[in-house]
Amino acid sequence: MISKNKKIFVAGHKGLVGSAIIRALKYRKFKKILNIKKSELDLKNQAKVENYFKINKPDYVIIAAAKVGGILSNKKFKADFIYENLSIQNNIIHSAYLNKVKKLVFLGSSCVYPKYCKQPIKEQYLLSGKLEDTNDAYAIAKIAGIKMCESYNFQYKTNFISLMPTNTFGPNDKYDILNSHFLPALIKKIHKLKNSKKPKLQIWGNGKAKRELIYVDDIADACLFFLNKKTKHSLINIGTGKDFTINHYAELLNKIICPKKKITFVYDKSKPNGTPRKVLNIGLAKSYGWKSKHNIVDALRYTYKNFLKNNTK
């Protein structure tokens, strides 16, 4: 077990996943949690990142920092997504090597796998087919991070591991309708219809695309579990192993947010669906003794309560 006195640097501590990792570390009584504001350290600046590591000497590192967004922003700002994510992960991974970090956890995304991947998706399917066009720039950056960890382990005998989470949701999510992922966008849109007499909501695609969701506290739990665990594999999927259609999630949120009203969902088939289906094979994670703990309905209810508490617009 990792000593509670070891220094753990969490990059991206203000984000959805990073903030959950901080909560998990504090709950477990870790005493030396390192984090720093964007305004104080630009993770895209190699010299500044290397200097931060040299001064603070973290024992362990979790990379939750990334530029993320939904279909629209991924499609529109490809250059930003590939440049910023490559810069952040390259600087942190290399600095971790230079400063002899004991173990590093790199968080990727299930979008690294091919668009028409065999389901459920196994880790070995990486680079076996064409990526989804709308987020290929982001995916390529994350694939580079996976291969960078593998390469440093091979050449320098480091202990770097890549965890690939499925679609994540929970407290501290982004609810920007144009730039957020589908679930927080749905929560905000359905919430706005609470006082409508005849609520109607247009959703991109045909509603039949299937997505797997996982509660963010489960991701945080997985990060700490595998930070402690000796593994033979450097790439491990993190998910629930269950997926549902976009339409199913919309209907579920309708019951949670507007229990007394039936929203009419209208699907705009002229807009992209994204990847048709995406559910991870989580057999490898289970073989090491990890599995998700949160029920989807309870987690969605808690997420909506958090939304009400922190989003007044």
Side-chain angles (χ1 to χ4, degrees):
M1 293 292 289
I2 298 173
S3 166
K4 305 296 191 215
N5 290 312
K6 293 296 184 182
K7 293 181 181 178
I8 301 180
F9 173 49
V10 181
H13 72 287
K14 288 285 188 181
L16 170 64
V17 178
S19 59
I21 293 168
I22 296 292
R23 289 197 302 273
L25 287 168
K26 288 180 176 178
Y27 178 77
R28 289 165 173 79
K29 309 295 184 186
F30 280 90
K31 298 172 183 177
K32 296 180 180 177
I33 305 167
L34 303 179
N35 54 69
I36 187 166
K37 295 177 183 177
K38 276 185 181 180
S39 58
E40 296 173 6
L41 176 62
D42 180 1
L43 293 172
K44 300 189 300 296
N45 186 307
Q46 185 181 39
K48 289 182 178 180
V49 172
E50 287 184 6
N51 189 55
Y52 178 84
F53 270 73
K54 194 180 293 183
I55 292 169
N56 292 280
K57 291 291 181 184
D59 298 295
Y60 298 90
V61 173
I62 302 174
I63 307 178
K67 180 176 177 61
V68 297
I71 288 178
L72 186 63
S73 57
N74 267 281
K75 189 176 181 181
K76 191 175 181 181
F77 303 109
K78 286 178 180 282
D80 292 347
F81 276 91
I82 197 165
Y83 167 73
E84 291 190 29
N85 284 301
L86 282 172
S87 299
I88 290 167
Q89 62 205 38
N90 286 353
N91 293 338
I92 296 174
I93 293 168
H94 189 63
S95 293
Y97 153 67
L98 291 176
N99 290 275
K100 297 179 172 55
V101 163
K102 291 180 175 64
K103 190 165 188 178
L104 176 145
V105 172
F106 170 66
L107 282 165
S109 166
S110 58
C111 73
V112 299
Y113 294 111
K115 179 174 182 175
Y116 296 109
C117 209
K118 185 179 177 182
Q119 306 288 322
I121 304 168
K122 294 182 179 180
E123 289 84 355
Q124 57 262 40
Y125 298 163
L126 186 72
L127 295 174
S128 64
K130 191 175 183 296
L131 297 167
E132 160 61 37
D133 291 336
T134 56
N135 65 359
D136 56 357
Y138 174 78
I140 287 168
K142 289 297 183 181
I143 292 168
I146 295 167
K147 290 300 175 182
M148 190 171 183
C149 288
E150 285 181 5
S151 300
Y152 275 56
N153 289 346
F154 174 78
Q155 186 172 339
Y156 299 125
K157 310 306 175 189
T158 50
N159 190 10
F160 298 166
I161 186 171
S162 299
L163 302 183
M164 293 301 111
T166 190
N167 295 280
T168 308
F169 71 98
N172 206 28
D173 210 339
K174 292 182 179 178
Y175 292 94
D176 180 316
I177 288 175
L178 290 177
N179 295 315
S180 62
H181 287 105
F182 87 91
L183 189 85
L186 270 179
I187 288 173
K188 187 166 186 177
K189 288 176 180 178
I190 293 173
H191 173 74
K192 284 188 171 184
L193 294 174
K194 283 189 80 169
N195 297 318
S196 299
K197 291 182 179 179
K198 292 183 179 180
K200 183 183 289 187
L201 179 61
Q202 187 178 82
I203 298 177
W204 278 24
N206 60 18
K208 295 179 181 179
K210 299 185 82 174
R211 294 290 179 271
E212 176 186 14
L213 291 178
I214 190 168
Y215 189 53
V216 70
D217 284 12
D218 282 329
I219 298 296
D221 181 68
C223 287
L224 301 193
F225 179 90
F226 283 104
L227 202 62
N228 264 301
K229 193 78 173 178
K230 187 176 181 180
T231 66
K232 294 179 181 178
H233 304 84
S234 62
L235 173 60
I236 300 172
N237 289 337
I238 303 297
T240 63
K242 299 174 184 176
D243 64 336
F244 302 98
T245 64
I246 301 294
N247 176 258
H248 177 84
Y249 290 119
E251 297 286 355
L252 194 56
L253 287 171
N254 183 169
K255 292 175 183 176
I256 291 169
I257 298 171
C258 310
K260 296 181 180 180
K261 291 183 180 178
K262 178 68 175 78
I263 296 173
T264 300
F265 295 107
V266 180
Y267 292 92
D268 184 353
K269 296 178 183 178
S270 68
K271 296 292 192 298
N273 275 312
T275 303
R277 189 187 181 206
K278 192 165 61 173
V279 60
L280 296 177
N281 183 306
I282 53 172
L284 187 55
K286 281 186 173 181
S287 73
Y288 283 113
W290 185 87
K291 63 178 181 179
S292 61
K293 298 175 177 67
H294 289 85
N295 172 276
I296 182 72
V297 176
D298 291 339
L300 284 173
R301 289 187 189 281
Y302 184 77
T303 300
Y304 181 58
K305 284 182 182 178
N306 183 265
F307 168 85
L308 291 175
K309 182 180 178 181
N310 297 294
N311 294 269
T312 55
K313 293 181 180 180

